[in-house]
């Protein structure tokens, strides 16, 4: 039972354009969502997060949107750069006293010149 | 400051052998997590420590898996009688604290790639 789903295993985008990565979740108890970026042979690196009390959070080129009614969130990268090429993981947590993260399977983003 | 470190970076073992994987969290981080990533999969939660206690072991796949944390710092994940399905990248993460209305950011180590032949 996958509680966090990233249905697109890969995405290819041209440099300078917008990258949109999507994530769906099923557990309505999730109240905190995160995006991590992972390069080969490295651990995941925190990118951006959003609390369920918000519907948008922006940090530089990265914006995360949360649609609670649809149980959907997305990560927008504008403009995309070749260095953004990596695997992006969506993760979710509830506030049940600790913050075990539930991860999606990841989306591999390739930004080409 | 140093990040989360893990050792070894790679481990190849024979089926049936025991292995120990080590995690050194960021200094001062009280919460420590173990995850694993099998080929083509997302990260799967294994166990969580708050200090030296493990309030949540629900992700450990079988009783062949165990973990401990000493001195509120270093943690060791032990897999006994390894099986081929244990092959994965084992990742450790730490954070300042846990709980409350907002999750603290978890910082990950580079992982240990375990291959069971």
């Amino acid at each position: 039972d996958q509680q966090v789903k990233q249905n697109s295993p890969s995405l290819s985008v041209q440099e300078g354009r917008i990258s949109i990565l999507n994530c769906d979740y099923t557990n309505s108890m999730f109240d905190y969502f995160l995006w991590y970026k992972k390069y080969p042979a490295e651990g995941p690196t925190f990118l951006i997060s959003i609390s369920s009390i918000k519907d948008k959070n922006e940090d530089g080129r990265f914006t995360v949107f949360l649609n609670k009614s649809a149980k959907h969130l997305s990560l927008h990268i504008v403009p995309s750069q070749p260095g953004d090429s990596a695997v992006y993981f969506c993760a979710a947590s509830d506030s049940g006293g600790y913050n075990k993260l539930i991860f999606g399977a990841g989306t591999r983003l390739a930004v080409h010149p | 400051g140093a990040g989360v470190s893990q050792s070894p970076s790679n481990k190849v073992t024979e089926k049936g052998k025991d292995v120990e994987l080590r995690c050194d969290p960021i200094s001062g981080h009280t919460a420590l997590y173990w995850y694993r990533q099998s080929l083509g999969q997302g990260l799967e939660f294994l166990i969580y420590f708050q200090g030296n206690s493990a309030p949540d072991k629900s992700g450990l796949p079988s009783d062949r898996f165990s973990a401990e944390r000493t001195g509120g710092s270093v943690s060791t994940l032990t897999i006994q009688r390894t099986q081929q399905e244990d092959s994965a990248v084992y990742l450790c993460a730490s954070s300042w604290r846990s709980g409350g209305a907002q999750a603290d950011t978890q910082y990950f180590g580079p992982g240990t790639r375990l291959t069971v032949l």
Side-chain angles (χ1 to χ4, degrees), chain A residues 1-4 27 30 90-94 99-104, chain B residues 35 43 45:
Chain A
D1 177 29
Q2 276 189 293
Q3 297 187 68
V4 178
N27 189 340
F30 289 148
C90 170
S93 174
D94 61 31
N99 54 349
K100 169 178 77 175
L101 297 178
I102 307 299
F103 283 84
Chain B
Y35 296 86
L43 282 73
F45 168 79

Side-chain angles (χ1 to χ4, degrees), chain A residues 20-93:
Chain A
I20 300 176
L21 296 96
N22 293 302
C23 178
D24 297 292
Y25 62 96
T26 58
N27 189 340
S28 58
M29 296 300 292
F30 289 148
D31 61 359
Y32 199 71
F33 305 88
L34 308 90
W35 285 93
Y36 280 82
K37 180 170 73 172
K38 186 179 185 302
Y39 293 117
E42 295 183 11
T45 302
F46 171 73
L47 196 55
I48 193 169
S49 62
I50 187 167
S51 166
S52 61
I53 62 173
K54 296 185 175 181
D55 54 19
K56 177 182 174 181
N57 188 27
E58 191 172 355
D59 183 2
R61 297 186 296 113
F62 303 91
T63 303
V64 57
F65 295 92
L66 175 62
N67 181 335
K68 289 187 290 295
S69 61
K71 294 191 177 66
H72 176 84
L73 64 156
S74 61
L75 174 69
H76 292 209
I77 307 173
V78 181
S80 301
Q81 300 173 353
D84 296 329
S85 298
V87 178
Y88 289 78
F89 290 98
C90 170
S93 174

Side-chain angles (χ1 to χ4, degrees), chain B residues 53-76:
Chain B
S53 301
D56 189 350
K57 305 177 183 179
S58 63
L60 294 178
S62 75
D63 58 8
R64 296 186 295 105
F65 288 71
S66 63
E68 65 174 12
R69 189 180 184 194
T70 55
S73 180
V74 172
S75 176
T76 303

